[in-house]
């Protein structure tokens, strides 16, 4: 999972270089980003149930092959169209990898503590997403031909991961042999929900993922402008490090919060996300470095706790036959949280200005996460199956 998602986020600090190299407009960069996100959404909607049918290991192997091929095509891209194709391939592979690896970590967990498997899943995901922009930014800053060489570590690690997975032997799911042949309806998009008694915590987790992904997407898009005002260093390494720091801190908070109860993680995480939006509003008006640092720390803590709680809730409400479908639904809502805010803030900033667009976004997100925290507090604890 770590190697696979590393390849998905690697290009983030390279976008200004592509813009200068190919003479792209800002709208082109947004289009490239959205192309990747739509690839990931398509994968989660159409391929999300493959792990239930064939087992997580074959899907994970093929997902790693596809992401490595997509990263290699990114390194060889000769124009915007070829680069968009590579990003779509990486997006499709991202959905396959996150779903299958999450299911695999849960199935291979020998402990009865489901939160432990959830912590490992969300930790590996955050670590991989953070390593991508960090490695890409450092390579682009100091290595010749950055639009080619920056992808080399991900290609090498992908090849090693594929080789390692072919040395692993895991029995296919027991229910796979009794299922009917794969039909067209199995490929059609389908939103999976748990049984009615467990839908409230699951929907809170999904909307929490929407908020978490959306807030991080906003920070990632604003980081370069913030860094220009607050530090004297510029370039791909700085922007890559600024994006990676939130994810690394998030991974650290998740690791520290492993013993904490799932409901506590959800309530505190959602409360921190509400607070970080208010801090971001204050930061946009004051440009105070201390407020910026505090907002980053609050965002990282809320991001980590809510991701940990979200994956744990999915695992608790799922059955062996519905786990991949529920995880796909959870991730689809989360990815929509990354797409919608970027498009919404972009449209609002064109008509109202960037500062007012940020304020409107943060007020809406703070209200949503505050309401979710209140609902989570009033939701009964899910009994461990």
């Amino acid at each position: 999972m770590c190697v696979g998602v590393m390849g998905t986020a690697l290009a983030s600090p390279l976008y200004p270089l592509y813009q200068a190299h190919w003479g792209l407009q800002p709208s082109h960069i947004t289009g490239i980003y959205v192309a990747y996100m739509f690839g990931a959404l398509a994968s989660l909607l159409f391929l999300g149930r493959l792990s239930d049918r064939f087992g997580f290991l074959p899907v994970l192997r093929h997902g790693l092959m596809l992401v490595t091929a997509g990263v290699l095509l990114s390194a060889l891209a000769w124009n915007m169209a070829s680069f968009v194709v590579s990003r779509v391939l990486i997006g499709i592979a991202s959905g396959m990898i996150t779903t299958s690896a999450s299911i695999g970590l849960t199935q291979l967990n020998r402990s009865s503590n489901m939160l432990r498997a959830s912590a490992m899943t969300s930790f590996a995901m955050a670590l991989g997403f953070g390593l991508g922009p960090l490695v890409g930014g450092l390579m682009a800053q100091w290595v010749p031909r950055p639009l080619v060489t920056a992808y080399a570590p991900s290609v090498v690690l992908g090849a090693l991961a594929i080789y390692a997975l072919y040395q692993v032997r895991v029995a296919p799911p027991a229910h796979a042999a009794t299922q009917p042949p794969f039909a067209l309806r199995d490929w059609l998009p389908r939103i999976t929900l748990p049984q009615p008694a467990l839908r409230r915590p699951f929907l809170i987790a999904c909307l929490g993922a929407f908020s978490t992904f959306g807030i991080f997407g906003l920070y990632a898009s604003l980081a370069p402008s913030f860094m220009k005002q607050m530090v004297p260093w510029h370039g791909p390494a700085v922007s890559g490090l600024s994006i990676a720091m939130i994810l690394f801190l998030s991974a650290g908070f998740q690791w520290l919060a492993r013993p904490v109860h799932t409901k506590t993680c959800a309530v505190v995480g959602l409360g921190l996300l509400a607070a970080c939006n208010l801090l971001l509003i204050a930061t946009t008006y004051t440009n105070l470095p201390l407020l910026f640092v505090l907002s980053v720390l609050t965002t990282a803590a809320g991001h980590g706790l809510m991701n940990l709680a979200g994956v744990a809730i999915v695992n608790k409400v799922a059955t062996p036959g519905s786990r991949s479908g529920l995880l796909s639904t959870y991730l689809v809502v989360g990815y929509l949280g990354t797409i919608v805010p970027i498009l919404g803030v972009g449209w609002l900033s064109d008509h109202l200005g960037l500062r007012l667009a940020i304020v409107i976004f943060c007020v809406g997100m703070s209200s949503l996460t505050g309401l979710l925290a209140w609902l989570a507090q009033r939701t009964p604890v899910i009994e461990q199956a």
Side-chain angles (χ1 to χ4, degrees):
M1 176 182 280
C2 187
V3 172
V5 299
M6 174 184 171
T8 67
L10 194 149
S12 296
L14 304 178
Y15 286 145
L17 301 181
Y18 281 110
Q19 193 171 355
H21 183 64
W22 288 331
L24 304 179
Q25 299 296 322
S27 58
H28 295 149
I29 299 299
T30 304
I32 291 170
Y33 180 82
V34 171
Y36 155 75
M37 297 307 303
F38 276 118
L41 280 175
S43 176
L44 292 169
L45 288 170
F46 291 96
L47 308 179
R49 297 188 296 276
L50 290 181
S51 295
D52 285 339
R53 173 60 65 103
F54 301 108
F56 74 90
L57 194 57
V59 179
L60 185 56
R61 287 170 180 161
H62 287 86
L64 272 170
M65 290 179 189
L66 188 58
V67 77
T68 304
V71 171
L72 185 59
L73 180 58
S74 296
L76 301 175
W78 56 93
N79 57 21
M80 178 180 165
S82 60
F83 188 60
V84 167
V85 171
S86 73
R87 296 303 296 168
V88 171
L89 290 177
I90 290 172
I92 294 171
S94 172
M96 296 171 65
I97 290 168
T98 52
T99 304
S100 59
S102 299
I103 292 170
L105 286 169
T106 302
Q107 290 181 5
L108 298 177
N109 178 38
R110 297 181 179 180
S111 170
S112 59
N113 183 7
M114 190 62 70
L115 192 60
R116 180 181 176 185
S118 305
M120 181 58 70
T121 300
S122 53
F123 177 81
M125 198 181 300
L127 184 63
F129 274 118
L131 280 174
L134 178 62
V135 172
L138 291 175
M139 294 284 288
Q141 188 80 43
W142 289 293
V143 177
R145 301 189 65 193
L147 297 184
V148 176
T149 54
Y151 296 98
S154 186
V155 172
V156 172
L157 289 173
L160 289 173
I162 293 167
Y163 172 79
L165 282 179
Y166 272 98
Q167 310 310 307
V168 176
R169 297 290 180 268
V170 177
H175 59 276
T178 61
Q179 292 191 12
F182 219 59
L184 177 62
R185 66 178 180 274
D186 295 314
W187 296 95
L188 297 177
R190 185 178 67 194
I191 297 299
T192 303
L193 294 173
Q195 55 183 306
L198 298 174
R199 286 182 183 175
R200 177 168 167 168
F202 178 72
L203 293 175
I204 290 174
C206 289
L207 289 174
F210 179 91
S211 305
T212 305
F213 282 47
I215 292 166
F216 172 73
L218 184 68
Y219 264 89
S221 62
L222 291 175
S225 59
F226 273 125
M227 300 302 285
K228 279 184 179 179
Q229 298 174 11
M230 298 183 182
V231 297
W233 309 286
H234 310 292
V238 175
S239 59
L241 180 62
S242 64
I243 296 170
M245 280 307 299
I246 292 178
L247 293 166
F248 286 151
L249 289 170
S250 170
F253 281 116
Q254 290 175 49
W255 197 253
L256 292 173
R258 286 175 299 156
V260 180
H261 195 276
T262 302
K263 181 175 179 177
T264 304
C265 285
V267 174
V268 175
L270 288 165
L272 288 169
L273 290 177
C276 79
N277 279 280
L278 300 177
L279 286 168
L280 184 57
I281 293 174
T283 303
T284 58
Y285 281 102
T286 63
N287 289 332
L288 291 176
L290 181 60
L291 276 179
F292 176 66
V293 171
L294 188 58
S295 65
V296 168
L297 290 173
T298 309
T299 300
H303 184 279
L305 292 177
M306 195 55 226
N307 277 340
L308 177 61
V311 176
I313 291 170
V314 172
N315 285 332
K316 286 184 176 183
V317 303
T319 62
S322 68
R323 180 164 281 114
S324 65
L326 290 174
L327 185 61
S328 294
T329 302
Y330 170 81
L331 291 172
V332 163
V333 178
Y335 277 121
L336 285 174
T338 306
I339 294 174
V340 173
I342 289 179
L343 298 178
V345 171
W347 184 86
L348 287 173
S349 62
D350 287 344
H351 293 80
L352 303 175
L354 180 58
R355 177 175 293 182
L356 187 54
I358 294 172
V359 171
I360 292 173
F361 170 87
C362 289
V363 168
M365 279 293 187
S366 181
S367 302
L368 174 60
T369 49
L371 176 62
L372 290 174
W374 180 76
L375 290 173
Q377 178 62 40
R378 297 174 61 86
T379 300
V381 173
I382 304 172
E383 297 296 333
Q384 184 68 54

